[in-house]
Structures are given as structure tokens and as C-alpha cells.
Amino acid sequence: MKKSRTLLLLLICYLPYGMQAQDTTKWDLRRCVEYALANNLTVQQTSLQANVAEVNEKQARWSQYPNADFSTSTGLQWGRPLDPTTNTFTSNEILGQSYGLNAGITVFNWHRIRNNIIAADINTDAAKMDIEKVKNDIALNVATYYLQVLLSRQQILIVSVQMQQTKEQLEVTRKKVAAGAAPELDALTLEGQYATDSSNYISARATADQNLLLLKQVLNIDAGKLFDIATPPVEQIPVEPILQLQPETVYQIALQNQPAQKANALRIQSLTASVRSSRAAMYPTISLYGSLNTQFSSTAKTATGYVITDYKPNGDQIDFSGTKYPVYSPNGYITYEKKNFGERWSGWGTQMNGNFRQSFGLSIAVPINSGGNARFNYQRSKLDLKNAELNKSIINQTLQSDIYKAYYNASAALEKFNATKRTFEITQRSYEVAKKRYEVGLLNTFDLLISQNNMNRAQSDMTTAQFDYVFKLKVLEFYKGQGIKL
């Protein structure tokens, strides 16, 4: 049953604080639940998931601001590099440096960014509801084991009363056998019954110890550590009349206040926004862009002169007084001198200023076909939404079933409590009558002890039934959204 902090509400204010002062080794339910919530790994994991959701929300919000990137590079090129400042190839080694600042902002994309922000924001709220749900489940789990320990200890009391009653009957019967007033078979029968009662008592003690060990495991407490729980005064715990906890009314209230239902409703809202966002991805996006760039380049060598080796006719002629003379062109080579590292940076400021360029514009991106990503993402988002709606219906049906089951269990527990209460009242009156008869000599000690033990056992049965009834009723009270009634 997916219940929330049901039994945390049960005893969080009902257990007397002075009980721990009497015995510091005994923990009340408040302390058990607080310890479990502080040390449970599932709570820590769910909290991390909520932190991830918050980071995703922040990222979605940042996507509405302009994008800006700054880049710079410095490096050498050799072989036959392309001089970036002249856009020509050269065989000279080149030292280059560039700076760039680019920015862009989406002007309109059919509210895709806005819907992404809405979806991420709602997802964060849903993740926080998941934390509350996990805490409620853990509190319920702790309280359930806490109740099992209490009930098993009540069973010890019932069995011990039965064992004590059998023992007293055996002592009386042995005296009768010794006096010849009863057969030996009566004593042997009671001895067998006493052995059975002793075995039941040992089993009850073992069950109580096992339940306490299970509670320690849930709390993540070392099995060898000294640990015990306090028994609350169940008769002092106020409960609402079961007639005011009709299941259909409680169910309608639970739909509004349970963390699981809140988380489901939030996720449906988030997926609805995601559907709108994925649909917007199929439409054009309008953006503004701008950039600032500049660069510098310098060769490793500088020309220092030209050495002429010879002259050769170049094919041209000059007519001088009717005589044509060939034109000669010098042949030779340019002499270079290697620059040192400092000389390579000569003219850096002039080039940076002269090569500075800017750009600004408007762009429209129209999705045509990219493997059908936008269209199929849109279809998947609609299916995810439909699945979330079905999941919400399933969880609500489970909640309704749990509430009706809790109501029937509480009704049965109430009937059992009333029956055991009636039995206790009868055995109590019977004991009072037996005590008066014993005082005037009309009843022997053996019959008085039987009447007294019957009353004690009936009282233990009533207390056990009352524990069970109160815990089951608190489930309904929690679903109804009841606060602590002091």
C-alpha cells in the first residue's frame, strides 16, 4: 500500500518525551523516522535527482539569453601555407594570430524556448514531490516495523499469562495428586500443556527479537548495537470516528494532497509543454547574429636585396633608327634574411587595426528534412504525454483501492477491538465477583487465579487489538489530510 507518512503522524506528537529521559536506549517513533530519513540512501539519491532537475531548469532559462563566444589562436604554418592576410599561397613559414567574438540570439522560434523553460520548471517541482513521496514511504515502512515490534511484544504478554495460568494449575493439581484427590494423568496433561506454553513463549520472544532486528535494518543501525523502542500509551492517542472517514470522501481528498498524485499531475503539465516545444521545432527559427574579427600574419624571412647573375633576351625588341635591337632582362635571385622572434611581430598593431572586420545580420533556419527528427520527436512527445496520463490513472486506481482496503481493514480492526474490549469487561466483572466470593470463602485459590489470568489475557488481547485498530485508522486520517490532534 502506497501510504504516506501515516504512522509518523500517529506518534510524532503522541509519545511522551519523558519516556526517553527514563531510558535513553528506547527510541520513540519520531526518533526512528528522523534517523531513517537522515541516513536513508534512497532519500539522498532522490534528492540528487531533484538537484539535477534544478540544473536542467537553470540551463533552460539560460537558453533565452544571447550566445557569445570568444576565440583566439596563435600558431605557425610551413610547407606551402595560405597567408590569411593576403589570401595567397607562399613557401615561406608564417606566424599567425587571430581574434574573434561571435554572438547570436534567437528572435522567435514559436515559443520553443519558453515551453522548454515551463517544462523544466514543472519537472523541478515534480522532483521535489518525489522526495516527499520517498520520505513518506520510508516513514510508513519504519512505522510498520515499529508496529510489528509492539504487537509481537503484546503477544509475549498474552503467552506469558497463559503459561503462568498453566503453571499455577499444575501446582494445584500436583497437590491434589499427592493427596490422592486427582489422578496422575491430570498432572501429566498439564505438564504437557506447560511445555507447549513455554515453547510458544520462546517463539514469541524470538519473533519479537526478529522484528526488532528488522527495524534496525530499516534504520541502518548495526545489529549488535544496543537498541530498543518505547511503547506508546495507545489509549491516549486521539482518533477520528470511522464514520467521518468514508473511503470515497477520503479518496477525493487524497487526490489533492498525496505527493505521488501531485508529482503525476505536474509531470503531465511538463509533458504538455514539451509537446508544444517539440511541435515548434518543426517551424522556422529567426535569429540575429553578429561578429568581430581581426588577424595578423608574418613571414619568417624578409627580403634584403636582389642579386643579378646575367641578362637574357626576353623576346621583345626596340626599333632604333630602323634597326631592331633585342631587349634583355636581368636574371637573378632575391636574398632573404631570417627574422628573429621579436622581428616577426613587427607591424602587429597596424595589421590588427587594418584587418578588423565586423558583421551583423538576420538569419532564418527552415527545417526541411533532417532524418525526420523534428517530426518523430513531436510524435514521441505526444505518446509520452499519453503514457503519463495512463500512468496517472493507474496510480489513482491503486490509491483508491488502497484507501478502500484501509477502510475495510480499519472497520474489521474496530470490530475486533470492540469484541476484545467486551471480553475484557466481562472477564473483569467475573474476576470482581470471584474475588468477592474468595474473600467470603466460597471460592478456592485455584479458581480465583484462573479468573484473574483470564482477565489479564483478555486485557492483553484488547491492547493488541487497540494498537492494530489505531494504526489502521491513522492511515485513513492521513489520506484525509488530518493534522495532528493533540
Side-chain angles (χ1 to χ4, degrees):
M1 183 182 296
K2 294 182 178 178
K3 295 182 278 290
S4 302
R5 254 178 248 169
T6 306
L7 302 183
L8 171 62
L9 296 181
L10 173 63
L11 297 178
I12 197 168
C13 291
Y14 302 144
L15 301 186
Y17 297 104
M19 204 169 283
Q20 285 190 358
Q22 298 172 5
D23 188 352
T24 56
T25 63
K26 292 187 177 182
W27 291 25
D28 59 12
L29 185 57
R30 173 200 290 271
R31 184 177 178 184
C32 290
V33 171
E34 289 179 349
Y35 186 89
L37 295 181
N39 294 274
N40 188 269
L41 297 180
T42 304
V43 174
Q44 298 177 19
Q45 188 178 46
T46 308
S47 298
L48 287 177
Q49 294 171 353
N51 292 337
V52 171
E54 291 180 352
V55 172
N56 292 337
E57 178 189 351
K58 292 178 181 178
Q59 183 179 8
R61 293 187 181 279
W62 272 74
S63 65
Q64 64 186 323
Y65 303 124
N67 296 323
D69 298 297
F70 172 78
S71 63
T72 181
S73 64
T74 302
L76 294 173
Q77 299 182 59
W78 58 87
R80 188 166 175 78
L82 178 67
D83 190 332
T85 58
T86 62
N87 201 31
T88 59
F89 289 98
T90 179
S91 60
N92 203 351
E93 183 181 286
I94 293 177
L95 169 67
Q97 187 176 64
S98 65
Y99 294 90
L101 176 63
N102 299 286
I105 184 172
T106 300
V107 178
F108 185 70
N109 63 348
W110 305 91
H111 308 299
R112 184 181 182 186
I113 294 177
R114 179 186 300 177
N115 285 311
N116 284 338
I117 294 174
I118 293 174
D121 180 59
I122 297 175
N123 269 335
T124 300
D125 295 336
K128 293 178 181 179
M129 286 296 102
D130 288 338
I131 297 176
E132 294 303 313
K133 179 184 178 299
V134 170
K135 289 183 177 180
N136 291 344
D137 292 342
I138 291 174
L140 172 63
N141 199 23
V142 171
T144 300
Y145 283 103
Y146 193 96
L147 172 62
Q148 292 301 319
V149 175
L150 295 179
L151 294 180
S152 60
R153 290 183 175 179
Q154 288 297 318
Q155 188 63 30
I156 291 176
L157 294 177
I158 294 173
V159 175
S160 63
V161 169
Q162 178 66 39
M163 185 174 63
Q164 181 64 25
Q165 180 179 351
T166 303
K167 180 181 179 181
E168 292 170 351
Q169 291 175 347
L170 177 60
E171 291 176 352
V172 173
T173 302
R174 281 175 177 171
K175 292 179 181 179
K176 290 183 178 181
V177 171
E184 180 68 20
L185 180 60
D186 290 352
L188 294 176
T189 301
L190 288 174
E191 287 180 359
Q193 181 62 44
Y194 183 73
T196 301
D197 293 342
S198 299
S199 177
N200 293 336
Y201 177 78
I202 294 173
S203 297
R205 289 290 301 270
T207 300
D209 292 339
Q210 291 175 0
N211 289 334
L212 187 64
L213 180 60
L214 290 174
L215 178 59
K216 293 170 74 174
Q217 291 177 352
V218 172
L219 297 178
N220 197 23
I221 295 178
D222 185 81
K225 183 178 180 180
L226 182 63
F227 173 78
D228 198 4
I229 65 172
T231 302
V234 64
E235 67 281 354
Q236 297 181 15
I237 301 176
V239 292
E240 188 171 349
I242 195 170
L243 293 177
Q244 298 182 16
L245 297 171
Q246 293 302 310
E248 189 58 34
T249 301
V250 174
Y251 170 65
Q252 294 300 326
I253 296 176
L255 288 176
Q256 306 300 323
N257 62 34
Q258 290 302 299
Q261 274 59 41
K262 291 181 179 179
N264 288 335
L266 289 171
R267 285 198 166 88
I268 288 177
Q269 296 177 27
S270 175
L271 288 172
T272 301
S274 295
V275 169
R276 295 195 296 265
S277 174
S278 60
R279 182 176 57 190
M282 298 190 297
Y283 298 102
T285 299
I286 302 174
S287 305
L288 290 175
Y289 67 89
S291 66
L292 301 174
N293 295 276
T294 187
Q295 58 190 15
F296 162 82
S297 69
S298 175
T299 58
K301 299 178 181 179
T302 183
T304 58
Y306 186 81
V307 177
I308 299 175
T309 57
D310 59 7
Y311 294 90
K312 291 182 179 180
N314 60 11
D316 295 333
Q317 292 181 343
I318 298 176
D319 189 347
F320 184 77
S321 300
T323 303
K324 295 183 178 180
Y325 297 94
V327 177
Y328 289 82
S329 296
N331 289 327
Y333 56 90
I334 301 174
T335 58
Y336 292 92
E337 182 179 303
K338 191 172 183 180
K339 298 178 182 179
N340 59 38
F341 185 76
E343 291 173 338
R344 289 193 182 190
W345 294 99
S346 177
W348 182 88
T350 302
Q351 284 198 40
M352 283 294 179
N353 183 60
N355 294 330
F356 182 65
R357 59 192 180 276
Q358 310 86 35
S359 66
F360 179 79
L362 176 71
S363 67
I364 300 177
V366 181
I368 298 177
N369 183 23
S370 58
N373 289 336
R375 182 175 300 278
F376 295 130
N377 286 338
Y378 176 52
Q379 293 179 5
R380 274 191 291 267
S381 66
K382 291 193 295 183
L383 293 176
D384 290 339
L385 175 59
K386 183 64 176 178
N387 183 64
E389 291 172 345
L390 292 175
N391 186 59
K392 177 184 177 182
S393 298
I394 292 173
I395 293 179
N396 287 348
Q397 287 179 354
T398 303
L399 174 66
Q400 187 179 38
S401 176
D402 290 343
I403 289 177
Y404 272 84
K405 187 184 299 183
Y407 177 80
Y408 295 142
N409 289 339
S411 298
L414 175 59
E415 292 178 359
K416 182 177 180 180
F417 169 63
N418 290 333
T420 55
K421 184 178 181 181
R422 178 64 177 167
T423 301
F424 170 68
E425 292 172 351
I426 293 174
T427 55
Q428 186 179 38
R429 289 198 299 268
S430 177
Y431 171 70
E432 292 174 354
V433 173
K435 184 177 180 181
K436 292 179 180 178
R437 294 185 63 191
Y438 175 78
E439 291 174 351
V440 296
L442 297 178
L443 189 70
N444 58 40
T445 304
F446 176 73
D447 291 333
L448 177 65
L449 291 175
I450 292 177
S451 179
Q452 181 179 353
N453 289 333
N454 288 339
M455 180 189 68
N456 292 335
R457 184 166 54 185
Q459 185 177 18
S460 296
D461 288 338
M462 180 187 68
T463 303
T464 300
Q466 190 174 10
F467 267 118
D468 189 49
Y469 161 64
V470 168
F471 272 63
K472 286 181 169 61
L473 201 60
K474 286 298 174 180
V475 174
L476 290 172
E477 286 189 2
F478 174 79
Y479 280 131
K480 190 180 178 181
Q482 293 290 116
I484 301 297
K485 293 189 298 184
L486 302 177

